[in-house]
Amino acid sequence: AAGVIQSPRHLIKEKRETATLKCYPIPRHDTVYWYQQGPGQDPQFLISFYEKMQSDKGSIPDRFSAQQFSDYHSELNMSSLELGDSALYFCASSLGSGVTTDTQYFGPGTRLTVL
Amino acid sequence: KQEVTQIPAALSVPEGENLVLNCSFTDSAIYNLQWFRQDPGKGLTSLLLIQSSQREQTSGRLNASLDKSSGRSTLYIAASQPGDSATYLCAVRLRGFKTIFGAGTRLFVKA
């Protein structure tokens, strides 16, 4: 079965650089979530999109932005990178229409290292 | 503000034992609760999702219950195996799409 695809899997950047993370949801899934997981921490909700519109927002820094495109893939753009941005970034997708049955399926994550 | 707590933080059991992992949340206004497992450095695998209107869900050796009024969920693992060793996370989805995770329970099953 098709799963959530994230690219790249690993990314190394310098401080103050910019990074773009991509997420391709499971086919027919219309909802995408982004999470940040620091070392030894639980995933922190950043932002979500439903039907290409931002649906909710969590603890996402102003330096980060995201969008969902017409083919439902999503990109997380991170600017002015800081050392503290080093983390695993997960994307999850679900078939969400506001009902309570939508299971979130996670991608393998992108490991971002900021030097 | 919704807070999710998981107890115990870590658990080591011999193979074959039945065990219970606990998850509590402070605000009962949730859409659903989902249990995941995470292997070190890997992604999250969905185990069970319980809708806010449901009391329990079962999948194989796993059974998850939800008591919204008391803000509690439990994950029961029957006949544990070494392959069950992982971190187990519960997550509650709030009104809208925001999802809050607990810190997880690290489980080690000894052969």
Side-chain angles (χ1 to χ4, degrees):
Chain A
V4 177
I5 297 172
Q6 291 188 246
S7 68
R9 295 292 309 279
H10 302 273
L11 191 57
I12 299 175
K13 291 286 185 178
E14 300 278 344
K15 279 195 318 183
R16 293 179 288 278
E17 285 191 324
T18 299
T20 298
L21 279 54
K22 297 185 179 183
C23 170
Y24 298 86
I26 293 171
R28 296 192 303 112
H29 281 194
D30 51 15
T31 305
V32 167
Y33 306 76
W34 284 98
Y35 295 89
Q36 176 191 59
Q37 187 176 32
Q41 298 181 356
D42 54 284
Q44 296 292 311
F45 174 84
L46 292 178
I47 195 166
S48 63
F49 293 87
Y50 166 60
E51 279 292 344
K52 294 159 278 186
M53 300 284 289
Q54 181 181 309
S55 54
D56 217 329
K57 197 170 180 179
S59 50
I60 184 169
D62 292 340
R63 300 177 288 108
F64 294 5
S65 64
Q67 58 181 323
Q68 186 178 32
F69 294 86
S70 58
D71 63 352
Y72 294 100
H73 95 272
S74 178
E75 294 183 0
L76 177 65
N77 297 292
M78 310 159 69
S79 63
S80 302
L81 287 169
E82 302 173 356
L83 296 178
D85 296 329
S86 296
L88 261 175
Y89 290 83
F90 288 109
C91 167
S93 76
S94 70
L95 186 59
S97 56
V99 298
T100 60
T101 57
D102 52 334
T103 296
Q104 293 186 43
Y105 296 92
F106 276 67
T110 293
R111 183 174 296 281
L112 172 67
T113 302
V114 181
L115 302 176
Chain B
K1 179 189 170 193
Q2 178 74 271
E3 293 183 2
V4 181
T5 304
Q6 290 188 246
I7 294 173
L11 185 61
S12 180
V13 300
E15 182 177 7
E17 269 204 11
N18 302 325
L19 53 100
V20 175
L21 308 182
N22 297 292
C23 172
S24 62
F25 47 95
T26 54
D27 187 344
S28 62
I30 65 171
Y31 266 11
N32 61 43
L33 184 145
Q34 196 166 349
W35 282 93
F36 296 88
R37 83 171 263 169
Q38 185 175 29
D39 294 287
K42 299 293 177 66
L44 280 72
T45 301
S46 176
L47 299 173
L48 290 164
L49 178 139
I50 310 178
Q51 301 177 47
S52 61
S53 59
Q54 295 179 321
R55 298 283 291 182
E56 68 176 331
Q57 284 284 347
T58 298
S59 175
R61 294 183 294 110
L62 305 179
N63 175 278
S65 67
L66 174 65
D67 184 343
K68 248 183 38 168
S69 59
S70 66
R72 294 178 188 273
S73 176
T74 61
L75 179 67
Y76 175 82
I77 302 177
S80 58
Q81 304 169 357
D84 294 332
S85 299
T87 296
Y88 289 80
L89 296 151
C90 73
V92 298
R93 182 180 147 185
L94 311 180
R95 299 178 191 281
F97 293 83
K98 184 178 285 188
T99 303
I100 309 297
F101 277 81
T105 293
R106 287 194 311 279
L107 173 65
F108 180 64
V109 181
K110 298 172 285 188

